[in-house]
Amino acid sequence: MVLSVASEFIENESEDVEKQDCELNAFYRLTARLKDTFKKLPICLIADSLYACENVFKQCKANNWNYLFRFKEDRIKSITDEFQALKNMEEEEGKKANVVKIRESEQRGEITWVNDIDYRGFGVNVFECELEDEKRKQKFTFITDIKITKNNAKKLMNAGRSRWRIENEGFNRQKNLRYHIEHASSQDYNAMKNHYLLTQITEIIMVLHEHGSKILRSMKKTIKEISSRLLEAFRGQTLTDEDIAQLGKPMQIRFT
């Protein structure tokens, strides 16, 4: 399941603000709230290449968080140059210690990495994935503070690539498939934010409902039918003593 646990808005309420807000500024505000709300929760940030920068590295280190970001060649040139130089040096010397081959039913490729690249006092680790199947070739690079080994290289790759679920099962579903939030709901900025937060609450309820009901999954109902069924449950069904007793039982949640 992909669920939103917090939101931070970009605060440009008018066109004539002195300094434009941006994603990174919103990120720093969000991390402060996350740290305050989930003080002891182990967190690994997975994000795009925008967040691969010194200030984010500092924030992660201060919060004792891990990170795993997509990394584009032009994001931090010194890291890119050193990664390529060290990788080429090992290849020229005939060393292939930092390579894992991928041989799956429909996919072939390899993961190559270099650990402990120094960047302004931070030791960063970079790995490059080259994959090929019958349809296409793919190449992508990640940067992380987690030391890369033969045992975890593939897990890190899969974790990094799982970010598409946030886009497809999260924002894309909100924007295009269910709630059509690409359309402006109001000309009032606070009203727009409230509308979006209500949309997120609705999506959380829907996802929990869909994943929590085995009968519902087997029936393969449409989104409209599920929504109508859920609305009627809110209107007409009363929680029993047994339902309330279930709420007191501990839940096991895995964060990825």
Side-chain angles (χ1 to χ4, degrees), residues 229-245 247:
R229 179 179 181 274
L230 194 56
L231 179 59
E232 289 305 314
F234 285 147
R235 285 173 171 168
Q237 293 184 14
T238 304
L239 287 174
T240 65
D241 292 339
E242 183 180 355
D243 294 329
I244 295 172
L247 297 177

Side-chain angles (χ1 to χ4, degrees), residues 201-218:
I201 293 170
T202 303
E203 173 67 0
I204 289 170
I205 293 171
M206 286 289 290
V207 170
L208 291 173
H209 185 53
E210 289 172 325
H211 285 262
S213 174
K214 294 181 180 179
I215 295 176
L216 187 64
R217 291 199 298 270
S218 64

Side-chain angles (χ1 to χ4, degrees), residues 67 71 78-84 86-87 113-127 143-144:
Y67 61 83
F71 188 67
S78 62
I79 294 178
T80 299
D81 291 345
E82 186 165 354
F83 170 70
Q84 294 296 338
L86 292 173
K87 188 183 73 166
W113 67 90
V114 174
N115 285 316
D116 300 320
I117 296 175
D118 180 70
Y119 174 68
R120 299 184 179 180
F122 295 96
V124 300
N125 312 307
V126 179
F127 64 98
I143 187 169
T144 178

Side-chain angles (χ1 to χ4, degrees), residues 84-238:
Q84 294 296 338
L86 292 173
K87 188 183 73 166
N88 294 338
M89 185 185 302
E90 289 189 349
E91 291 176 353
E92 290 172 2
E93 294 175 357
K95 298 177 181 178
K96 279 287 186 177
N98 292 348
V99 175
V100 166
K101 299 288 185 181
I102 298 173
R103 295 289 183 268
E104 297 179 349
S105 57
E106 298 179 356
Q107 206 167 53
R108 297 287 185 273
E110 66 179 27
I111 305 171
T112 309
W113 67 90
V114 174
N115 285 316
D116 300 320
I117 296 175
D118 180 70
Y119 174 68
R120 299 184 179 180
F122 295 96
V124 300
N125 312 307
V126 179
F127 64 98
E128 184 178 77
C129 312
E130 296 187 39
L131 301 175
E132 182 178 358
D133 57 26
E134 294 181 355
K135 296 181 179 179
R136 58 178 176 172
K137 292 182 179 180
Q138 295 175 287
K139 183 177 179 179
F140 33 82
T141 307
F142 295 92
I143 187 169
T144 178
D145 65 330
I146 301 171
K147 193 174 183 65
I148 308 161
T149 67
K150 287 183 179 294
N151 291 330
N152 69 8
K154 188 175 177 181
K155 291 180 181 179
L156 288 172
M157 178 191 74
N158 290 334
R161 296 181 70 196
S162 71
R163 191 174 62 85
W164 69 268
R165 294 187 62 197
I166 299 172
E167 301 291 342
N168 291 342
E169 296 182 30
F171 297 125
N172 185 54
R173 186 158 56 189
Q174 292 176 4
K175 183 177 179 180
N176 299 313
L177 301 180
R178 289 188 177 180
Y179 309 105
H180 304 291
I181 60 172
E182 77 271 27
H183 302 297
S185 58
S186 173
Q187 293 184 353
D188 182 271
Y189 191 58
N190 281 330
M192 290 175 63
K193 291 193 286 187
N194 287 332
H195 178 268
Y196 181 63
L197 291 174
L198 289 170
T199 298
Q200 287 196 320
I201 293 170
T202 303
E203 173 67 0
I204 289 170
I205 293 171
M206 286 289 290
V207 170
L208 291 173
H209 185 53
E210 289 172 325
H211 285 262
S213 174
K214 294 181 180 179
I215 295 176
L216 187 64
R217 291 199 298 270
S218 64
M219 292 171 67
K220 296 182 179 180
K221 295 290 186 179
T222 65
I223 297 301
K224 185 176 181 179
E225 290 171 327
I226 294 171
S227 300
S228 298
R229 179 179 181 274
L230 194 56
L231 179 59
E232 289 305 314
F234 285 147
R235 285 173 171 168
Q237 293 184 14
T238 304

